[in-house]
């Protein structure tokens, strides 16, 4: 389907979705690019490089698993409390995630680094799923109202 054949309302939804998804993809890429080395460098101070790589990979694996598992429950929360509040909670979770990241370089024990990192990755999973579920629901509902013949 060509964008020029869409109504102005649908084009607006399409452009907003494109910008938001591009921004989220860019920031998630930055997380991967910056947080992995942060975890690895912090962990190599207190353990072997092989263990540091294992724990860094484990952190990312847990995050991806949690994102997959939390999509439906956070979507239900969004339906219960509203999309606006779900997005607000998403940004609160992102803030808490960054705060947890700021303490990792200061940690000096394996237990403390892993605790902060696991806690941060769990919070990041909630932040991502709160936002993605609410945004997708907004797109679907907006399209259903303006152009029901067009699927998401």
């Amino acid at each position: 389907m060509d964008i020029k054949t869409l109504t102005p309302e649908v084009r607006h939804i399409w452009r907003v979705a494109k910008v938001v998804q591009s921004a989220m993809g860019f920031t998630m890429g930055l997380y991967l690019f910056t947080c992995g080395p942060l975890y690895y460098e912090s962990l190599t101070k207190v353990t072997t490089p092989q263990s540091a790589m294992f724990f860094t990979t484990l952190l990312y694996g847990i995050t991806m698993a949690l994102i997959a598992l939390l999509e439906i429950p956070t979507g239900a929360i969004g339906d219960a409390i509203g999309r606006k509040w779900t997005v607000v909670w998403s940004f609160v979770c992102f803030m808490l995630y960054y705060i947890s990241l700021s303490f990792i370089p200061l940690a000096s024990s394996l237990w403390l680094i892993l605790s902060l990192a696991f806690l941060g990755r769990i919070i990041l999973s909630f932040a991502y799923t709160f936002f993605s579920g609410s945004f997708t629901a907004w797109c679907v509902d907006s399209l259903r109202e303006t152009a029901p013949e067009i699927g998401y």
Side-chain angles (χ1 to χ4, degrees), residues 39 43 54-64 114 117-118 121:
Y39 296 141
L43 287 166
F54 169 76
F55 287 127
T56 301
T57 306
L58 184 65
L59 288 168
Y60 280 99
I62 287 171
T63 304
M64 294 304 129
L114 288 177
F118 280 121
R121 298 308 281 187

Side-chain angles (χ1 to χ4, degrees), residues 43-117:
L43 287 166
T44 54
K45 293 176 186 174
V46 295
T47 188
T48 65
Q50 293 83 7
S51 295
M53 184 58 73
F54 169 76
F55 287 127
T56 301
T57 306
L58 184 65
L59 288 168
Y60 280 99
I62 287 171
T63 304
M64 294 304 129
L66 282 172
I67 286 172
L69 293 172
L70 290 173
E71 278 292 335
I72 292 173
T74 55
I77 292 170
D79 291 341
I81 66 172
R83 292 191 189 116
K84 177 176 71 172
W85 286 109
T86 309
V87 171
V88 168
W89 277 107
S90 167
F91 290 130
V92 168
C93 288
F94 276 119
M95 177 194 65
L96 293 173
Y97 169 66
Y98 288 121
I99 289 171
S100 73
L101 276 181
S102 67
F103 288 106
I104 289 176
L106 304 175
S108 59
S109 72
L110 178 63
W111 181 85
L112 187 56
I113 292 170
L114 288 177
S115 297
L116 288 169

Side-chain angles (χ1 to χ4, degrees), residues 14-34:
W14 181 80
R15 285 186 184 117
V16 168
K18 190 175 180 181
V19 168
V20 170
Q21 292 294 6
S22 297
M24 283 300 284
F26 180 72
T27 55
M28 290 303 285
L30 284 177
Y31 297 153
L32 291 170
F33 189 69
T34 58

Side-chain angles (χ1 to χ4, degrees), residues 3 9-24 131 135 138-139 142:
I3 190 168
E9 295 86 13
V10 174
R11 278 196 301 248
H12 174 71
I13 295 167
W14 181 80
R15 285 186 184 117
V16 168
K18 190 175 180 181
V19 168
V20 170
Q21 292 294 6
S22 297
M24 283 300 284
F131 184 82
F135 182 72
W138 173 80
C139 289
S142 298

